[in-house]
Amino acid sequence: MEAQEEQDGGGGKKISMKSIQFIWKKAQELERDHLLVSFLCTLYIVEELNDYVKNNSTDIEAKNIFLQCLDKAEHTRSSFDAVDYTKLADFCKKLFLAADRHDRQAEITKKTLQMFFTSQIFYEILNHFRKLDDDEKKKYLYAKYKTVYLKKCFDKGIKPEPGSPRNEGGETPPPAPGDEGAPDWEEMHQGEPNQQTTHGDYTENCDRLRDMHKFELG
C-alpha cells in the first residue's frame, strides 16, 4: 500500500487520512472494554474532520468516516455523566510501557514498531483534549522517535537496538520532527457513503458533541 498524503483541513491544518482510519479502527476495537477511550477516539475524528469535510465535499471516503463517527459519538455520549481525561492518560501510559517493555525484553519485530506507533497516536489524541504534562510529552516524543527509527531499520535491513538508539557520538539523538516515516497500516473497509447528506445536516450535532469538553472531570 502506498503512503497516503496529508490533506489540507483548512486554516493550514493538515489531515492524515491514514491516521484517521487507524484511529477509527482502534475505536471500534476498544468499544467493548474501554468505552470512554473509544468514545474519545471517535470524538477526536469528528472534530478533526469537521472542517475538512465542510471544505472538501467531494472526498467521499473522509465524509463516510466522519458520518459514521458522528453517529457513533452521538449514541455513545449518553453513557457518560462526565469525561475524565485521566482515564485516557492512563491508557496512553499503559500503551507506552507495553511498547517499551517489548522493545527491551523481547525480540524487536514489526509488532514493536506498531506498538510504538499506536502509543504515539494515542498521545496525540490526549493532547487534542488537554495539554500533555512533561512526563507525557517525553513519552510521546520517545514513542514518535522509536516509530521512525524502527521503520528505517526495517526498511534498510538494519538490526535495531533496544532502548534509546545511539548516534555515533554515543548520545541519544533528539526525537525526529514531523510525521515522516510513520508506517502504513491496512485501510479499514468503508461502506457506501450517503451522498445525499450535506454538511448542514450534521453541523448542529457536531457542535453538541463539542460541548463534551465542558464536562467537569469525574
Side-chain angles (χ1 to χ4, degrees), residues 2 41 51 55 91 163-164:
E2 295 181 357
C41 288
D51 290 337
N55 297 322
F91 188 81
S164 302

Side-chain angles (χ1 to χ4, degrees), residues 173-188:
D179 293 327
E180 295 79 11
D184 293 326
W185 306 116
E186 292 183 356
E187 295 183 16
M188 65 170 293

Side-chain angles (χ1 to χ4, degrees), residues 15-32:
I15 298 295
S16 170
M17 287 306 301
K18 178 176 60 179
S19 294
I20 292 294
Q21 293 161 350
F22 178 78
I23 295 167
W24 179 218
K25 182 177 180 180
K26 287 298 179 183
Q28 295 173 86
E29 293 174 354
L30 293 168
E31 184 175 359
R32 187 183 69 175

Side-chain angles (χ1 to χ4, degrees), residues 10 17 35 52 55 66 71 98 101 109 111 113 122 142 160 165 174 180 190 197 211-212 216:
M17 287 306 301
L35 184 59
Y52 174 77
N55 297 322
F66 176 84
D71 181 68
R101 182 168 56 251
T109 64
K111 179 181 178 181
L113 167 61
F122 272 83
Y142 184 81
E180 295 79 11
Q190 300 295 334
T197 305
D211 289 338
M212 294 295 292
E216 294 181 359

Side-chain angles (χ1 to χ4, degrees), residues 14-139:
K14 299 297 183 181
I15 298 295
S16 170
M17 287 306 301
K18 178 176 60 179
S19 294
I20 292 294
Q21 293 161 350
F22 178 78
I23 295 167
W24 179 218
K25 182 177 180 180
K26 287 298 179 183
Q28 295 173 86
E29 293 174 354
L30 293 168
E31 184 175 359
R32 187 183 69 175
D33 297 326
H34 301 278
L35 184 59
L36 177 58
V37 175
S38 173
F39 170 76
L40 290 174
C41 288
T42 306
L43 182 59
Y44 171 84
I45 295 173
V46 170
E47 296 188 351
E48 285 290 289
L49 287 183
N50 184 51
D51 290 337
Y52 174 77
V53 171
K54 180 179 179 181
N55 297 322
N56 299 272
S57 58
T58 59
D59 191 334
I60 302 302
E61 179 187 31
K63 181 179 178 181
N64 187 37
I65 295 177
F66 176 84
L67 291 174
Q68 290 182 62
C69 290
L70 182 63
D71 181 68
K72 174 62 70 174
E74 276 285 298
H75 283 84
T76 307
R77 62 174 296 186
S78 60
S79 302
F80 313 108
D81 294 327
V83 173
D84 186 353
Y85 297 130
T86 60
K87 292 184 178 180
L88 176 58
D90 290 342
F91 188 81
C92 289
K93 185 176 181 179
K94 289 179 181 178
L95 287 177
F96 175 84
L97 293 177
D100 189 53
R101 182 168 56 251
H102 193 274
D103 177 56
R104 297 174 188 272
Q105 299 180 1
E107 180 182 359
I108 300 175
T109 64
K110 289 187 177 180
K111 179 181 178 181
T112 319
L113 167 61
Q114 183 173 3
M115 292 172 75
F116 274 116
F117 176 69
T118 303
S119 174
Q120 169 194 331
I121 291 296
F122 272 83
Y123 272 120
E124 290 174 359
I125 295 171
L126 177 62
N127 190 58
H128 174 81
F129 293 106
R130 66 131 170 96
K131 186 177 180 180
L132 300 181
D133 63 29
D134 289 342
D135 181 65
E136 291 164 347
K137 186 178 295 184
K138 289 178 182 178
K139 287 181 170 60

